[in-house]
Amino acid sequence: MYIIVDDRESVTNSYVVGLVREGVSSIGFSSGEFWDWLQSASESDLAAVDAFLLGDCDARGSLPRAMRKRSSAPIIAMSGQKMLKNTLELFESGVDDVVHVPIHLREILARTAAIARRRVGDLPRPCESRIQVFFNGRDPEIAGHALTLPRRELRILEYMVANHGKWITKTQIFNAVYGIFESTFDESVIESHVSKLRKKLRDRLGFDAIVARRYVGYRLNIPAGETIDVPMQELDEVGILLNTARAAPAPAAYPAGN
């Protein structure tokens, strides 16, 4: 789940709509609303946050450090001013990255994934020898071939790859896919999504990659020794993700915001 903090309601709404279109749950707060939520949010709710997007608000200079005290999720500042002084001030406030608007949402997703990779190191996860997930809306690849998935199944796979080998509950998956503020759907929808994803992975891999255990949850379990026939593309530069032939045509950017 992405949290957008901006005192301009039209801007937060634009990002929320765009992220949902990309299959990523999100919610927008004004700086005052966000501060109240941050102080009272539970650890499980904070664990469901993929990134904070910090826009134009009065408290932008002080919020990043308050966020970091409660969460390790990436903090990305979105600035409408392409000035070195402004950029340096944002980094000094404690953000992980600064982007200048307008910007495509897939670039934000890719930057979030890059920050997460740097924090855990550049070594591939055990499952990445068979499944490559890009965390930017692009179709995952198995043995070098794209696997087209509906957006919610893709989000579940991303979450499972990020937590490879760990047991994750249905609630955790629901929060990652639908967000912690979703009340329209019931957690039981996760069982259907995982069942469909599990079958598609089994058809491609030849074995059950997702282990399910009643009252415990699900675990992505791919043997570390498994290899593929086609070498995986290196992903050291975010630009590689954004300029491959498989990337979608350039859609509208988000947003300059006045």
Side-chain angles (χ1 to χ4, degrees), residues 22 104 106 244-252:
E22 294 291 337
H104 193 286
R106 290 193 177 182
T244 55
R246 300 182 59 81

Side-chain angles (χ1 to χ4, degrees), residues 99-132:
V99 299
H100 295 99
V101 294
I103 184 172
H104 193 286
L105 286 175
R106 290 193 177 182
E107 181 175 344
I108 291 178
L109 298 179
R111 286 177 179 271
T112 302
I115 294 168
R117 285 200 304 274
R118 288 196 296 270
R119 288 182 176 173
V120 300
D122 294 328
L123 293 176
R125 300 178 182 89
C127 61
E128 287 180 347
S129 60
R130 291 297 302 267
I131 298 177
Q132 191 169 15

Side-chain angles (χ1 to χ4, degrees), residues 159-181:
Y159 189 72
M160 287 187 165
V161 167
N163 293 277
H164 180 257
K166 301 177 182 177
W167 287 104
I168 48 181
T169 66
K170 183 166 60 176
T171 298
Q172 288 175 304
I173 298 174
F174 182 86
N175 289 343
V177 176
Y178 289 94
I180 59 177
F181 300 99

Side-chain angles (χ1 to χ4, degrees), residues 7-206:
D7 286 337
R8 300 164 297 176
E9 185 177 0
S10 61
V11 172
T12 58
N13 289 342
S14 294
Y15 279 103
V16 168
V17 170
L19 285 165
V20 169
R21 190 179 298 123
E22 294 291 337
V24 179
S25 61
S26 62
I27 188 170
F29 287 111
S30 68
S31 56
E33 292 170 337
F34 175 73
W35 179 259
D36 292 339
W37 176 81
L38 185 64
Q39 302 310 303
S40 60
S42 67
E43 294 298 323
S44 60
D45 284 352
L46 287 164
V49 178
D50 293 302
F52 299 99
L53 304 184
L54 186 58
D56 188 1
C57 56
D58 293 336
R60 186 158 68 172
S62 58
L63 275 177
R65 288 187 174 83
M67 294 172 178
R68 186 57 66 231
K69 287 180 180 179
R70 298 225 56 202
S71 173
S72 61
I75 304 170
I76 299 178
M78 301 179 294
S79 175
Q81 298 179 320
K82 293 185 178 181
M83 296 167 41
L84 178 60
K85 180 178 182 293
N86 180 68
T87 300
L88 293 178
E89 287 175 349
L90 287 170
F91 276 116
E92 288 171 1
S93 73
V95 303
D96 296 298
D97 199 1
V98 177
V99 299
H100 295 99
V101 294
I103 184 172
H104 193 286
L105 286 175
R106 290 193 177 182
E107 181 175 344
I108 291 178
L109 298 179
R111 286 177 179 271
T112 302
I115 294 168
R117 285 200 304 274
R118 288 196 296 270
R119 288 182 176 173
V120 300
D122 294 328
L123 293 176
R125 300 178 182 89
C127 61
E128 287 180 347
S129 60
R130 291 297 302 267
I131 298 177
Q132 191 169 15
V133 177
F134 301 97
F135 297 94
N136 70 337
R138 176 177 164 185
D139 288 336
E141 294 183 359
I142 296 180
H145 300 284
L147 173 65
T148 302
L149 295 173
R151 64 183 186 180
R152 284 178 177 140
E153 291 177 30
L154 172 59
R155 180 66 185 119
I156 291 172
L157 179 60
E158 290 173 344
Y159 189 72
M160 287 187 165
V161 167
N163 293 277
H164 180 257
K166 301 177 182 177
W167 287 104
I168 48 181
T169 66
K170 183 166 60 176
T171 298
Q172 288 175 304
I173 298 174
F174 182 86
N175 289 343
V177 176
Y178 289 94
I180 59 177
F181 300 99
E182 176 57 56
S183 59
T184 306
F185 297 93
D186 186 84
E187 285 186 8
S188 60
V189 299
I190 296 301
E191 297 173 8
S192 175
H193 291 321
V194 172
S195 177
K196 293 173 182 177
L197 174 61
R198 189 180 187 185
K199 181 179 185 303
K200 291 170 184 175
L201 293 177
R202 183 171 60 244
D203 290 344
R204 285 290 192 95
L205 294 168

